[in-house]
Amino acid sequence: MRTFWANGYESTSTRDLCEALGLDRSSVYNAFTSKRELFKRALTRYMDATTADQLRILDDQELPAIERIRALFTRILRTEAANRRDGHGLGCLTVNTTMELAGRDPEIALMLARDHERRVVGLSAAIRAGQRDGDIGSTRDPAELATFVNAVIAGIRVAAQGGAGDATIAAIAATAMDALA
């Protein structure tokens, strides 16, 4: 998964996969049938883990909704800082895959769309709760705000991948939080 995440699908060679897995070429193909199948499994694993983590944060009923969203941004910022190499972040495997494959691979595009929907539904529920409780002042439609927040998160990942520093990506998150207030 990290090999695809760091290099992208197209730039990851069979040799890269063999080294990452500690297997020879025939073992990789016997276990996974193809590079594409291995990629789909890695992408699914990444989406399941990442989205589940985000939804756990958003579902934390111990915190007001606005604090759940702030905690989500904090997690994103920490993840980007932890994954920074040579001044650049790894970004997000789903964002990277959207850029690389979604426009030309309908099956991958569908996988990404389903994951996007899960995240937007979770964000919408938290935003709706925040509007109801008064800690989110924006009166915009919760689904629209959720799509906005999701796009900001993707933008933070891309900015970090492009070399934006911690202060810059923190300012992006703070601006998004201001938009919800």
Side-chain angles (χ1 to χ4, degrees), residues 104-156:
R104 58 189 167 87
D105 188 322
E107 184 179 15
I108 297 294
L110 181 60
M111 291 171 65
L112 293 165
R114 286 180 179 149
D115 183 63
H116 175 266
E117 182 64 21
R118 284 178 62 207
R119 284 182 277 113
V120 168
V121 165
L123 281 163
S124 294
I127 290 167
R128 191 173 299 104
Q131 288 173 325
R132 181 192 65 234
D133 297 342
D135 58 305
I136 293 180
S138 176
T139 58
R140 294 193 67 99
D141 178 72
E144 290 175 2
L145 287 170
T147 300
F148 164 73
V149 169
N150 191 65
V152 170
I153 290 169
I156 286 170

Side-chain angles (χ1 to χ4, degrees), residues 72-84:
L72 176 60
F73 276 120
T74 298
R75 174 66 56 88
I76 300 299
L77 297 175
R78 284 184 185 150
T79 300
E80 287 307 316
N83 287 322
R84 191 174 300 277

Side-chain angles (χ1 to χ4, degrees), residues 10 13 20-21 23 28-29 39 58 62 65 69 95-96 121 130 135 151 161 165 172 177:
E10 296 291 338
S13 69
L21 294 168
L23 299 172
V28 169
Y29 284 102
F39 177 75
L58 293 170
E62 298 296 315
I69 296 169
V95 173
N96 298 350
V121 165
D135 58 305
Q161 194 173 29
I172 295 168
M177 291 300 299

Side-chain angles (χ1 to χ4, degrees), residues 1 14 20 23 32 38 50 62-65 86-88 95 101 108 120 123 130 134 144 147 169:
M1 182 180 72
T14 303
L23 299 172
F32 301 104
L38 176 55
T50 301
E62 298 296 315
L63 294 175
D86 300 322
H88 297 272
V95 173
L101 297 175
I108 297 294
V120 168
L123 281 163
E144 290 175 2
T147 300
I169 62 175

